[in-house]
Amino acid sequence: MADLRERVEDDRGLIKQIQLAIPGFRGYRKREDLRIADNLLRIQLADKIRDDCMAPIMQSREAASRALELPVMNDLGTLIQSLKTLEAKIRHADQGYSGINPNFRIDESQLDTLYEYDLSMLEYVNGLKEAAEKILADAEIGDFKAVGPACREAKAGVIQFGTVFRERHQVMADLGAI
């Protein structure tokens, strides 16, 4: 995944470049660009959860319903709900807003720390993607005895990911962003 901070800097238009030249506004523009990059990163993470993790699980649920595997459908439904909750939390997480003249200023290094923290969550998403693909492969060949335990293991991964994401809230609090 490309570093979105560089992409946001490269996409600065004329007005943003003028803002960078204005004393007192330059820092605000840089911090705002970091927040935009972090927001884009979180949207990409949420999209990956929806497309790479949730979609295969939904396909697995369809296969289980065709085979009338009701206990497995329950496990898959629970996993889908957990993934939807996690996706929503990531998509709508706090950004650490800081105005032009705030009472408490979040500097660029603190916003970089937040971005790096969010970037590290990509590993968790990739792990969930691998689990979802395995569940789909098992469901497609009709091995539903393997799907149930795999769903519970994937749900444990979602819970662990959720715990790490809640720690993000603590990181933001330590930065003074909340």
Side-chain angles (χ1 to χ4, degrees), residues 71-83:
V72 173
M73 286 179 58
N74 190 31
D75 290 336
L76 291 165
T78 302
L79 181 56
I80 289 169
Q81 188 58 43
S82 299
L83 287 168

Side-chain angles (χ1 to χ4, degrees), residues 112-172:
D112 270 333
T113 301
L114 193 59
Y115 181 88
E116 296 293 334
Y117 195 85
D118 287 349
L119 187 60
S120 70
M121 291 184 214
L122 187 60
E123 293 175 28
Y124 287 99
V125 174
N126 289 334
L128 289 174
K129 177 185 174 187
E130 289 176 19
E133 289 171 346
K134 181 183 180 323
I135 290 170
L136 179 59
D138 289 342
E140 285 179 340
I141 63 171
D143 186 8
F144 291 104
K145 288 184 179 179
V147 171
C151 283
R152 289 186 283 279
E153 188 175 320
K155 185 168 183 214
V158 171
I159 291 170
Q160 184 182 10
F161 188 2
T163 301
V164 170
F165 196 72
R166 277 192 301 277
E167 290 173 5
R168 178 189 190 273
H169 189 77
Q170 182 61 42
V171 168
M172 288 194 66

Side-chain angles (χ1 to χ4, degrees), residues 40-66:
L40 289 172
L41 175 64
R42 284 185 298 101
I43 288 171
Q44 285 186 357
L45 287 172
D47 288 348
K48 284 183 77 64
I49 289 173
R50 182 191 63 210
D51 300 338
D52 296 346
C53 304
M54 214 171 343
I57 299 299
M58 292 177 133
Q59 291 173 344
S60 301
R61 185 173 63 178
E62 289 173 16
S65 69
R66 283 192 299 272

